[in-house]
Amino acid sequence: MRINNPDTILYIVQALFLPLIVSIWGASVWNTILLVGLLLLACWLKNIYDLSSSKRTWIFNTISISHYSEKVRWTLEKLGVDFREEPDAGIIMLLFLGRTVPTLYIPAIRTTVSNSKDILSYLRGRYGHSNKGKFLLVPDMQQGFELESKFDRLGLSVQRWGYYYLLQTPSLNTFWGVKEPRVPFWQRKLLCAISPILALFLTKILKLSHSKAREEFEIVKETFELTEDLLKDGRKYLLETDEISYIDITFASLSGLISLSEDVPKLYPGRTLNWERDLTEFSEEYVNDMEYLHHHYPLTSKFIERVYLEDRLNF
């Protein structure tokens, strides 16, 4: 959320100032109708401006370091879409507005798409049959959808398993954007003040516990076992496509944060934040888990690093 954004200003006026004006000033019925009419007129003029404006830059809402955001970011950059990333601090927007990230706002049609899987579905429908979007399609789409669902479940497991250990480290606020210059100043200050509350809130909604973390790690292992089996025949990409597909991007982005590679995790905040992951801050158990994945699933580990080095770093 950006305070200087016209949509935000209108939202604040609607949700806060208009009720205050009516209640404090004791406005009459006709004055109240006039105020509401003026507000509706402002909204209408804003909509007309958006629809007629030549400024069509998409807005990509993220948090500072997120595997779901990276999945969409990678896809958008590969498509060459003109977009502006607006990271928010941690889960502040979830706590106060009930909004999860990532979200993609398309001004020309005044449409917001939430959830990384739904965003990719939108992009597939819009660009899948063009040359630049052919990576969003695979020969057997049913097989692709089934594998994508398994990888999305992997993403949830990586989130729950990782957050259990992350909440025990001093790196939490860094993950949530306290050092990210693109995060609004007021959000960064608020994050420092209420991060313990946010951590407690996250623990509740994700049902984090040690036993839950171990269950989720088993799902991570099962998924890595699946990709390891696929890669044993020497294929370059998971569904034997000639070029990288959205399936490879989905898997690599959702698992890259737990890669032991020094290069892969650096791109998760995007390309503006100089972030270095420090594994010494994490518990021995979590680091041992990462090392287990690296050594027991070598083909999968090398695959993640290779697609990042060959595809992600090229644009």
Side-chain angles (χ1 to χ4, degrees), residues 85-294:
E85 184 170 343
E86 292 188 353
D88 289 315
I91 59 171
I92 284 179
M93 294 302 108
L94 174 61
L95 182 62
F96 292 111
L97 298 180
R99 191 192 76 188
T100 59
V101 292
T103 64
L104 184 64
Y105 176 61
I106 302 97
I109 55 175
R110 295 192 61 80
T111 296
T112 298
V113 186
S114 302
N115 185 299
S116 63
K117 184 175 182 178
D118 292 338
I119 294 173
L120 254 66
S121 295
Y122 172 80
L123 296 174
R124 182 182 302 114
R126 181 161 180 154
Y127 295 107
H129 295 284
S130 66
N131 186 58
K132 67 179 180 179
K134 61 183 179 180
F135 70 95
L136 293 168
L137 300 173
V138 292
D140 187 342
M141 287 304 298
Q142 183 59 39
Q143 182 186 20
F145 291 145
E146 291 174 358
L147 202 54
E148 182 183 20
S149 294
K150 292 179 181 179
F151 291 161
D152 284 334
R153 183 61 183 88
L154 165 71
L156 180 59
S157 294
V158 169
Q159 182 184 52
R160 288 175 172 168
W161 165 58
Y163 259 126
Y164 172 76
Y165 297 100
L166 177 62
L167 292 176
Q168 304 170 22
T169 74
S171 291
L172 178 61
N173 281 355
T174 299
F175 262 75
W176 280 350
V178 75
K179 297 180 180 179
E180 170 59 80
R182 295 174 301 168
V183 172
F185 177 79
W186 69 270
Q187 287 191 24
R188 283 181 275 151
K189 291 303 179 183
L190 182 60
L191 175 63
C192 293
I194 68 170
S195 58
I197 298 174
L198 295 176
L200 180 61
F201 177 71
L202 188 67
T203 299
K204 294 296 183 182
I205 62 174
L206 291 182
K207 301 178 181 178
L208 301 179
S209 66
H210 184 262
S211 60
K212 187 67 175 177
R214 304 321 300 165
E215 290 176 12
E216 298 297 343
F217 181 59
E218 290 301 314
I219 296 176
V220 174
K221 288 164 58 179
E222 290 172 8
T223 311
F224 271 51
E225 186 73 41
L226 170 64
T227 55
E228 194 76 5
D229 287 341
L230 289 173
L231 294 167
K232 281 180 179 177
D233 61 6
R235 65 184 65 183
K236 187 175 182 180
Y237 298 112
L238 293 174
L239 289 182
E240 297 185 278
T241 51
D242 294 331
E243 299 177 358
I244 191 171
S245 75
Y246 80 99
I247 290 297
D248 306 298
I249 290 173
T250 295
F251 176 72
S253 57
L254 294 181
S255 55
L257 267 180
I258 56 176
S259 167
L260 287 181
S261 166
E262 294 182 359
D263 297 313
V264 170
K266 290 181 180 180
L267 284 174
Y268 275 72
R271 300 176 185 272
T272 62
L273 179 62
N274 184 20
W275 174 67
E276 295 284 347
R277 182 184 57 185
D278 185 2
L279 291 179
T280 62
E281 295 181 352
F282 288 84
S283 70
E284 182 179 356
E285 184 175 52
Y286 182 67
V287 176
N288 287 341
D289 286 346
M290 293 177 64
E291 291 177 345
Y292 177 92
L293 295 173
H294 182 76

